[in-house]
Amino acid sequence: MTVRAVSSVLVGRQHELDALCGALSRTRAGEPTTVLVGGEAGVGKTRLLEEFAGRAVADGARILVGPCLELGEAGLPFAPFAAALREVLRRDGADAFAGYEAEFSRLLPELGRLLPAGTPPHAGPALTDAPRGYLFDLVAELFHRLAGAQPLVLVIEDLHWADRSTRDLIGFLVRAARTARLLLVCTYRTDELHRGHPLRPFLAELDRARGVDRVEVDRLDRDGTAAILTALLGAEPAARAVDEVHGRSQGNPLFIEELAAAGEPLGCATLPETLRDLLLARVDRLPEEAQRVLRIAAAGGTRIGHPLLAEVAGLPEPHLEDALRAAVAAQLVVANPDGDYEFRHALVREAVHDELLPGEHTRLHARYAAAIEAQPTLVAAGRAPAEIAHHWYAAHDHPRALCAARDAARAAAERYAYAEQSRLLERVLELWEVVPDAADRLGMDHLALLEETRAAATVAGDYQRALTLTRAALAEVDRDTEPLRAARLLSWRGRLKALLGKSDGGAELREAYRLLDTVPDRSSTVRLLTTIAAHLVRVDRAEGIRIAAEALAAAQALGEDVTLLPARLALVSRYGATVAPPTGRPGPEGGAGPGPGGASAAGVAELRRAMTLAREVGDGEAFVVASVYLSDDLFRLGRYEESARAAAEGVAEARRFGISRSTGAYLLSNRAEALIALGRWAEADEVCGAAARIDPPGITAVHWLQLRAGLRLAQGHPSADDLVGRALAFLGHPYLWPTHRLPLLELRIDAALALDDHAEAVRAAGAALADDRLAPTPREGWSLLGAVARTVRATRDAGLAARLAATAPALAADHLIERAYAGEVAATLAGTVPAWRAAVAGWRAVGQPYPLGRALLALAEAAAAAGERDEAAVAVPEVTAIADRLGAAPLGAQAATLARRLGLRGAGAGRGGADLLTVREREVLRLVAEGDSNGRIAEKLFISPKTASVHVSRIIAKLAVGNRVEAAALAHRLGLLADAPPDPTG
């Protein structure tokens, strides 16, 4: 009987197919969707995807497929995306890359050949973090363009083999880019996910993202096994055959196919029970020459080019072709149109590879490594370093593997694959222990390797690993003989601990400073001194300023003005107009200038001068740092348009100089903050989205996340809860800088108020008032006190009001925005109309529409309570207009509720309580406010208790309150009893 090797029917997968088709339907509607398709090896994931792809293409969608390569964590980065882009290039040509061929050549080296002569294919710094974020953005934009023409389905196969960079890019597309009309489908083997497999935590992270679905492809039942056997055999098999095959295969379609192809189904009972033997059964039937070639191919990977296979096999071309023809005829290997050969099942390759004898295994991998070293063009462009490193390592040639891994790490850095660079350097560290002359071969000592690996881990965003490596390096360095090296490591340790929220890092920074004092060559210490000062000033302002002044003096003495810029810029805006050397006139706490108030016109001018100098000398890092502080100072001075513009200009420079994910991330959040202040909320949300896409590591993400969460709360957006939860999770860190922690405390209060959880709001506000950094951080401190004041107004908590009154005088109010918050706090405590008029005037001077709207709403309430309904009638429509312009739905709803309670019809409305409540209802409300029960109300008004109850229910509904106690409180607050008739009982 002729047996088909592959079933042509899809069996038992209707539920999974419906799930994929449903995901595509959502994608067509503009909802970004991701489907994770899991299942054990051979269970039919590929067959399911083939069926789905056929339907999707017939329905007008476009399919791109990219397989992950079995090179593991140290393998070729971004391999599936390179395959997908290769298909884009083949179908759409270079125009699809919109002029970014040089950047995309990082992923697809073939594009480099299309660049004009003399253009470097992938120019850029070798060890920076921004190019990766930039590259991710370009990939997302490409998919966005493709999806604009027709729905796009991107299939990433074998995610369990994905390298770190591939996972990072997938995570970026899922969590940050969220391209409309893009359906991302990823397949992975569930039986590969051992406890330590890196895909496990990655999948867990994706599960928490919106729009991510899981589809588990399970084994077939007996009927499914029978259906596959019927399709393979061309006739319905006997029941005994079905039972035998189903028992052996346990419903795995691949095993069913292999059992059927290996012989008559009943004869399969004589085959060995292990999967390896099952898979090798068909291999054993090949001619000996074909088996030998198959073993050679297996050492090369799942997919291998003909020239490379021919080079390693060393066979005459006719013999090689005959052997391959036999393997293709047996459907063990597939010949692709581009000249590559691919194992039909990766499990077949694994089984064949596992059968290699130890010497054969070593010899074949060594031959592959030597062949690729001699002729790098035998593999796809850009693959050679990773392939060479993999094969020498598999060949157990430790010296060659050591050097190859180092070369591959450098190549990975050039391709922005910093996670792979870090992993390869980790391999170099591993091999160092077994290669006696490793230092001579690499031209570096072990400590230098630790430092380089730390730097790679830092840029890759793996701060925890970088911290571990720093600890190891510090254990090796001799602080007495190499104080500068030790100081540099200590500085990094302190900064990494702060970036991870573990501590403020002050102890390490102070020890680094102490060691620098022992370095004879002062010219070598200036740059590190400035770095220490810039970070230490966050911990101890006076100490940071003192060290910065020392660095400034040393730099000026050496004629190296530009080297002091990091510290100078960090202190210029925050702590004074300038940082003078020790001989200068000292300002507060040892610095020069205006003191804690911070921003000033002189400080802005100094920043602009420093930016000009930085641009002249080409110091990109200094320019970006200056842009961060300039945009921040301009915001503090109320110059929001200038702040947004300065931040936008700095973003381009941050991208150019490779620090978008670190310092440059603050430029995006500073710009978003300025746009929020200007009332340009849609633009601000887009900028926050850009910050999300670059995925800032560590606590660098706090600012944009806190801003976007607050923005979504103010909009009443459905995603607000998720963003608030993500932002507030940072409060669980042992340490946060006050400029990060205080805004998060404010967000926690606002989130509780948005849920009308008054008890939680009071608890959060009380905790905020206990923070010892309120007074030293007035900008964030006043904003936090504004949230506490909103809690007092919402809850009428007298104890909280007393604590607020005691705390506020300790904060300086040097800038308009700080004075506006101070006015709001004073008005909250006073509760008078004049105080609220002053608060509204303060916010008008600041020019921020949203806080102005909130202050106007409070003024309207105070005016209503005082019987000044005309003033309330003017304020409420302005609040409504502000809310409508911003899209601040909750604020608009509060204004509408107040207008309804006051019976306001428009800006010209007069006293309105009578329009909302009838005369009889106001009589009842007055008695409710006096604490009378329904029975007592009935007696006083000569009505039945049932009628009194109906009146009370209507009053509660009209006033939009929860109960009679809230109705009474509202009546007093809004003055709804002013015109109520006297008590009829006298």
Side-chain angles (χ1 to χ4, degrees):
M1 180 182 295
T2 301
V3 181
R4 295 173 56 92
V6 182
S7 173
S8 61
V9 297
L10 186 67
V11 175
R13 302 298 184 216
Q14 192 58 51
H15 174 74
E16 293 86 347
L17 189 59
D18 289 344
L20 288 168
C21 291
L24 181 57
S25 296
R26 295 195 299 275
T27 301
R28 287 183 181 281
E31 178 183 344
T33 305
T34 300
V35 180
L36 305 174
V37 181
E40 66 181 11
V43 81
K45 301 180 294 295
T46 300
R47 182 69 189 88
L48 171 66
L49 266 295
E50 288 173 353
E51 182 71 21
F52 167 67
R55 297 191 183 192
V57 170
D59 206 22
R62 179 173 183 178
I63 306 292
L64 293 177
V65 180
C68 297
L69 301 179
E70 193 192 357
L71 293 178
E73 284 291 290
L76 185 69
F78 304 118
F81 289 97
L85 295 181
R86 190 170 290 113
E87 176 59 28
V88 173
L89 177 62
R90 185 181 296 117
R91 173 172 166 177
D92 302 292
D95 290 343
F97 299 93
Y100 291 97
E101 290 86 352
E103 288 80 358
F104 277 107
S105 68
R106 301 273 188 170
L107 296 181
L108 194 61
E110 294 95 308
L111 282 170
R113 295 194 292 268
L114 304 178
L115 297 172
T119 303
H122 42 75
L127 189 61
T128 55
D129 58 344
R132 189 175 77 147
Y134 180 33
L135 186 64
F136 284 12
D137 237 346
L138 291 177
V139 172
E141 289 170 6
L142 172 63
F143 289 151
H144 180 77
R145 291 195 300 272
L146 296 176
Q150 60 188 130
L152 178 64
V153 180
L154 175 62
V155 179
I156 305 295
E157 294 183 316
D158 297 322
L159 195 58
H160 51 279
W161 286 333
D163 57 278
R164 168 73 179 276
S165 288
T166 294
R167 294 196 299 272
D168 286 349
L169 182 47
I170 290 172
F172 173 83
L173 294 174
V174 172
R175 293 192 297 265
R178 298 193 60 76
T179 301
R181 288 163 56 89
L182 169 65
L183 172 59
L184 179 61
V185 180
C186 301
T187 70
Y188 63 95
R189 293 182 186 173
T190 53
D191 51 346
E192 291 274 356
L193 303 187
H194 53 79
R195 183 177 297 275
H197 198 289
L199 189 60
R200 289 173 67 103
F202 179 70
L203 292 176
E205 285 292 328
L206 292 187
D207 279 336
R208 290 195 286 269
R210 286 191 306 115
V212 176
D213 297 327
R214 286 259 198 150
V215 173
E216 293 293 335
V217 184
D218 294 325
R219 297 171 180 175
L220 298 173
D221 58 15
R222 184 186 181 281
D223 291 340
T225 300
I228 289 184
L229 285 174
T230 299
L232 291 171
L233 300 172
E236 186 173 348
R240 285 181 58 196
V242 174
D243 291 339
E244 181 71 16
V245 172
H246 186 66
R248 293 289 182 180
S249 67
Q250 295 183 312
N252 184 298
L254 171 62
F255 303 170
I256 296 169
E257 292 175 356
E258 295 298 332
L259 283 167
E264 292 289 338
L266 283 177
C268 294
T270 60
L271 292 175
E273 292 188 7
T274 63
L275 171 60
R276 182 190 60 196
D277 290 345
L278 176 62
L279 294 172
L280 292 176
R282 291 172 59 207
V283 175
D284 291 340
R285 293 203 299 271
L286 290 175
E288 181 57 37
E289 193 76 8
Q291 290 188 42
R292 180 186 170 214
V293 169
L294 209 58
R295 290 195 297 271
I296 296 172
T302 302
R303 187 166 182 156
I304 185 172
H306 184 87
L308 176 59
L309 182 58
E311 180 70 23
V312 174
L315 294 173
E317 195 68 22
H319 291 192
L320 178 62
E321 291 176 352
D322 287 344
L324 288 169
R325 186 174 290 108
V328 170
Q331 297 196 46
L332 291 167
V333 172
V334 176
N336 295 310
D338 56 4
D340 289 346
Y341 296 100
E342 186 174 4
F343 281 85
R344 187 174 69 85
H345 290 301
L347 285 177
V348 173
R349 190 212 70 84
E350 291 175 20
V352 174
H353 185 261
D354 290 345
E355 281 293 286
L356 295 175
L357 297 172
E360 190 179 22
H361 180 281
T362 299
R363 184 173 63 256
L364 285 177
H365 280 289
R367 285 163 64 178
Y368 271 108
I372 299 170
E373 276 185 337
Q375 301 180 65
T377 56
L378 290 174
V379 295
R383 285 183 57 179
E387 294 275 1
I388 294 167
H390 167 72
H391 286 298
W392 281 130
Y393 188 73
H396 308 298
D397 189 326
H398 297 150
R400 287 191 173 95
L402 176 84
C403 298
R406 175 73 186 285
D407 292 341
R410 289 171 175 164
E414 291 177 358
R415 293 166 58 84
Y416 309 141
Y418 301 116
E420 275 57 58
Q421 180 199 18
S422 176
R423 177 66 187 89
L424 285 159
L425 288 173
E426 293 275 4
R427 176 173 289 179
V428 176
L429 282 172
E430 171 194 341
L431 292 169
W432 184 285
E433 303 300 326
V434 294
V435 179
D437 60 344
D440 294 335
R441 289 178 179 273
L442 296 180
M444 64 194 311
D445 60 21
H446 190 257
L447 181 56
L449 177 59
L450 283 171
E451 291 175 307
E452 184 176 342
T453 310
R454 190 279 311 158
T458 303
V459 177
D462 192 352
Y463 289 167
Q464 184 58 57
R465 181 57 182 165
L467 185 60
T468 300
L469 290 163
T470 305
R471 186 186 305 118
L474 280 168
E476 290 191 14
V477 70
D478 187 328
R479 302 188 184 193
D480 294 331
T481 60
E482 294 185 285
L484 179 60
R485 202 172 193 180
R488 187 179 298 112
L489 287 168
L490 281 165
S491 171
W492 267 113
R493 178 169 168 78
R495 290 148 65 188
L496 285 166
K497 290 176 74 172
L499 286 168
L500 287 167
K502 292 180 176 293
S503 77
D504 60 16
E508 289 81 4
L509 292 167
R510 292 186 181 97
E511 176 63 12
Y513 172 70
R514 187 193 68 79
L515 287 173
L516 288 183
D517 198 42
T518 67
V519 177
D521 182 9
R522 303 305 292 171
S523 64
S524 63
T525 67
V526 172
R527 173 65 71 173
L528 187 53
L529 267 178
T530 61
T531 300
I532 291 171
H535 289 270
L536 193 57
V537 75
R538 296 171 180 261
V539 180
D540 186 320
R541 177 176 174 270
E543 189 173 11
I545 290 177
R546 178 179 58 78
I547 296 174
E550 180 183 332
L552 173 58
Q556 290 175 339
L558 295 166
E560 300 178 8
D561 183 62
V562 72
T563 62
L564 65 94
L565 284 175
R568 186 173 190 168
L569 300 180
L571 298 164
V572 144
S573 66
R574 293 282 183 181
Y575 306 104
T578 185
V579 177
T583 55
R585 180 176 177 271
E589 298 187 45
S600 67
V604 168
E606 176 70 10
L607 281 167
R608 294 194 186 279
R609 187 200 72 79
M611 289 172 67
T612 300
L613 176 60
R615 192 184 292 278
E616 288 174 356
V617 301
D619 191 333
E621 181 182 2
F623 185 92
V624 172
V625 171
S627 298
V628 171
Y629 286 107
L630 176 62
S631 61
D632 190 68
D633 275 7
L634 289 171
F635 182 94
R636 186 175 293 194
L637 293 171
R639 294 155 63 174
Y640 306 126
E641 287 283 1
E642 291 180 72
S643 174
R645 188 163 53 251
E649 292 171 357
V651 167
E653 293 300 307
R655 176 182 289 186
R656 176 184 172 194
F657 288 103
I659 52 176
S660 291
R661 294 187 69 234
S662 51
T663 309
Y666 290 110
L667 286 168
L668 287 170
S669 54
N670 280 3
R671 182 164 184 251
E673 189 174 31
L675 292 171
I676 291 171
L678 290 166
R680 289 154 58 179
W681 283 12
E683 290 180 66
D685 192 68
E686 290 179 6
V687 174
C688 285
R693 285 193 291 274
I694 66 172
D695 190 23
I699 63 171
T700 313
V702 170
H703 194 208
W704 79 262
L705 191 55
Q706 167 254 319
L707 287 174
R708 199 176 208 185
L711 186 60
R712 294 289 174 87
L713 271 181
Q715 293 171 319
H717 197 282
S719 68
D721 288 347
D722 176 63
L723 284 167
V724 168
R726 289 171 57 194
L728 295 185
F730 280 95
L731 287 173
H733 286 67
Y735 177 81
L736 285 178
W737 287 311
T739 52
H740 283 148
R741 187 177 68 254
L742 297 185
L744 289 178
L745 296 178
E746 178 184 349
L747 179 64
R748 184 163 65 184
I749 294 171
D750 283 337
L753 291 175
L755 294 173
D756 285 327
D757 188 344
H758 288 180
E760 174 58 27
V762 169
R763 281 195 296 272
L769 289 176
D771 196 290
D772 61 1
R773 298 296 298 194
L774 274 172
T777 318
R779 173 180 168 180
E780 291 77 12
W782 273 117
S783 184
L784 181 53
L785 290 189
V788 175
R790 292 192 291 278
T791 306
V792 170
R793 297 200 297 273
T795 64
R796 305 288 162 176
D797 188 290
L800 186 64
R803 293 183 62 190
L804 175 62
T807 303
L811 274 71
D814 295 327
H815 300 291
L816 273 179
I817 187 170
E818 294 162 0
R819 290 195 286 270
Y821 276 119
E824 184 177 334
V825 169
T828 298
L829 297 172
T832 64
V833 174
W836 275 112
R837 287 179 187 145
V840 168
W843 281 115
R844 287 195 194 281
V846 169
Q848 294 191 31
Y850 186 61
L852 172 62
R854 290 190 302 206
L856 282 165
L857 188 66
L859 171 61
E861 288 191 353
E868 301 182 26
R869 303 293 181 86
D870 289 343
E871 186 159 8
V874 172
V876 171
E878 186 177 357
V879 177
T880 301
I882 290 172
D884 290 345
R885 185 170 74 253
L886 297 178
L891 179 63
Q894 292 171 22
T897 299
L898 180 60
R900 186 175 67 255
R901 287 169 172 171
L902 297 178
L904 300 179
R905 303 295 184 187
R911 286 168 16 202
D915 293 334
L916 178 65
L917 302 177
T918 66
V919 173
R920 174 61 82 179
E921 286 168 347
R922 284 188 292 119
E923 292 175 354
V924 172
L925 177 59
R926 183 182 62 79
L927 296 175
V928 168
E930 291 177 359
D932 288 343
S933 65
N934 287 353
R936 182 61 178 155
I937 292 171
E939 290 177 8
K940 289 183 176 182
L941 298 181
F942 305 102
I943 58 178
S944 69
K946 182 176 181 180
T947 301
S949 176
V950 170
H951 281 313
V952 171
S953 297
R954 288 177 176 170
I955 291 168
I956 289 173
K958 286 184 177 182
L959 295 181
V961 294
N963 52 52
R964 57 194 297 132
V965 175
E966 291 181 12
L970 184 68
H972 286 298
R973 191 164 78 243
L974 298 183
L976 298 180
L977 307 177
D979 297 326
D983 187 337
T985 65

